[in-house]
Amino acid sequence: AIQMTQSPSSLSASVGDRVTITCRASQGIRNDLGWYQQKPGKAPKLLIYAASSLQSGVPSRFSGSGSGTDFTLTISSLQPEDFATYYCLQDYNLITFGGGTKVEIK
Amino acid sequence: QVQLQESGPGLVKPSETLSLTCTVSGGSISSYYWSWIRQPAGKGLEWIGRIYTSGSTNYNPSLKSRVTMSVDTSKNQFSLKLSSVTAADTAVYYCARDHDGDLGPWGQGTLVTVSS
């Protein structure tokens, strides 16, 4: 099974900060990676698919990059509504989620 | 727009079988994969498996021996059965449309507690 290692597990940041979250796959997964945002008590929401494609309706401050084993989600200027937990997901072979990154207010 | 709604018992006894149904509205269930995902309180997401409308399935290897999924296209529903449950299966269970591994939309989730 493909393992997804996400880091950091949590971070504190201020509004306006640039935030970067990384995800590493235990083997190459091409660009078969998505990023999801989850707020407390809510279902996750797809932000990025195919590693770097922005889902319709998602603000352009979110971006994704990477291919193979190393991937990055970047929020260019953190907004109050972005405080949430973020998960990566690989779908190269079945589906595996990363462990999550909780973005908290500094 | 497509909406999903999970339904089923909120309390299941240990060693029994958890059964949930996801009802799809606002669109046809046909020609998509449909996934189940769960999340224990305060923990991360775990993919349980997926079913195509033909009945073809893929399961998480860690749960495969206990999972059965089915689909009823006439009712626009798909279902999950998880056998021999323990307290470790207590979680919020979500259903979601699975478009080539991109999950969405999702249901709101339903809490299932395993307890005697």
Side-chain angles (χ1 to χ4, degrees), chain B residues 16-76:
Chain B
E16 295 189 345
T17 296
L18 177 160
S19 296
L20 295 174
T21 294
C22 184
T23 301
V24 179
S25 59
S28 174
I29 198 172
S30 296
S31 304
Y32 280 102
Y33 278 97
W34 301 90
S35 273
W36 287 97
I37 305 98
R38 70 180 183 179
Q39 185 173 37
K43 296 190 177 181
L45 299 162
E46 180 178 34
W47 180 74
I48 300 169
R50 61 160 66 114
I51 186 165
Y52 192 65
T53 48
S54 65
S56 172
T57 55
N58 300 119
Y59 298 146
N60 185 326
S62 69
L63 297 168
K64 187 175 184 177
S65 64
R66 298 194 291 132
V67 173
T68 303
M69 294 183 183
S70 59
V71 61
D72 186 338
T73 54
S74 68
K75 294 183 178 178
N76 247 28

Side-chain angles (χ1 to χ4, degrees), chain A residues 2 20 41 45 51 67 72 85 89:
Chain A
I2 298 175
T20 300
K45 169 189 167 184
S67 182
T72 299
T85 300
L89 172 158

